[in-house]
Amino acid sequence: MLTLYGYENNPRSRIIRIVVRNSIDRNVRNDLLIYIPAKAAAEGIELHHSEVIPRKNIGVDTYLAFFPLSKGKIPGLTGPNIEITESLAIATYLAKLSNKSRLFGDGSLEEEATVLSWMSWANQELLSTLATWFLPLIPNLTRPAPYDKTAIENGKATSLSMLVNLENLLKDRRFLVGEWVTLADIFVAIYVSRGLEWVLDEQWRSSHPAIMRHFAMIRDWAPVKKVVRNFVLVKEETPNVNPYD
């Protein structure tokens, strides 16, 4: 049996949970919340899901026992003959177990490499940059991100510039790679959703129709709807003030 370690609202965990459809068993084992087996939304793979929330210190000690090199960063995956972290590695492994949904494209090396390039960009650049803007503004965390007003403003400026480039690229595309939904689309849309939750407000959304069209397509895709029933969209940008003062 495969077990995914993460939590419901974490964007990297959500990407994996587009393959993982969960229902919760409220039994606690080894300080982790264990989810009952569920069929993967896109690939039909059965997994358990164990809750780990690093910034609330939930499940971290047990998680680190499995993955001492992770520094507590999620997600992680364990199963017969496999123990891995990093969302790209986990998504790749799960997508290729049966390849029912062809999440790496048409099978050519070129499309697979292009999908992987988008996944890497979204993971290393898009989410990381957006996080410098919104993450310090999230309240009620046990281990909040450090607050630095200037750094947040710089993160905002870099994020907005990056998203302008994405908007221009998506104007003439339905899918980022090929002719159907791939992991490229999933990674980009789910990471954009994290910005939509906290800082990309109604005014921003109205001026970025191509990104919002792409996001809506992924939001309404059946495997995504099985995992995220409703995405939170902020009405007004979260102001740049320390939520812990």
Side-chain angles (χ1 to χ4, degrees), residues 52-204:
V52 180
I53 309 179
R55 292 195 178 275
K56 292 188 176 181
N57 286 327
I58 295 175
V60 175
D61 290 342
T62 301
Y63 181 69
L64 285 170
F66 279 110
F67 302 109
L69 299 181
S70 70
K71 298 182 180 179
K73 295 180 180 179
I74 54 174
L77 183 78
T78 62
N81 304 314
I82 190 163
E83 291 185 0
I84 56 174
T85 59
E86 302 295 336
S87 53
L88 268 70
I90 298 169
T92 298
Y93 174 74
L94 294 174
K96 290 192 171 188
L97 274 179
S98 61
N99 198 30
K100 291 180 181 178
S101 299
R102 297 192 292 173
L103 295 177
F104 275 98
D106 63 7
S108 69
L109 182 61
E110 290 76 16
E111 280 210 0
E112 181 171 339
T114 306
V115 170
L116 185 59
S117 177
W118 275 106
M119 293 164 64
S120 181
W121 174 81
N123 199 53
Q124 297 298 323
E125 302 295 335
L126 178 58
L127 182 61
S128 296
T129 302
L130 282 169
T132 64
W133 180 8
F134 71 76
L135 190 57
L137 305 178
I138 298 178
N140 304 318
L141 298 176
T142 305
R143 295 170 51 205
Y147 178 84
D148 182 312
K149 188 178 184 69
T150 301
I152 292 170
E153 289 300 322
N154 291 339
K156 175 180 177 178
T158 305
S159 296
L160 292 176
S161 177
M162 183 178 293
L163 290 166
V164 166
N165 292 333
L166 181 62
E167 173 72 16
N168 291 334
L169 188 144
L170 282 169
K171 285 179 179 178
D172 300 319
R173 299 190 190 188
R174 182 181 182 191
F175 306 104
L176 289 170
V177 182
E179 301 299 326
W180 56 79
V181 172
T182 66
L183 281 169
D185 301 295
I186 296 167
F187 267 71
V188 169
I190 295 301
Y191 289 164
V192 166
S193 77
R194 193 65 163 149
L196 296 173
E197 183 178 355
W198 292 101
V199 290
L200 302 176
D201 59 14
E202 287 183 346
Q203 183 177 356
W204 182 91

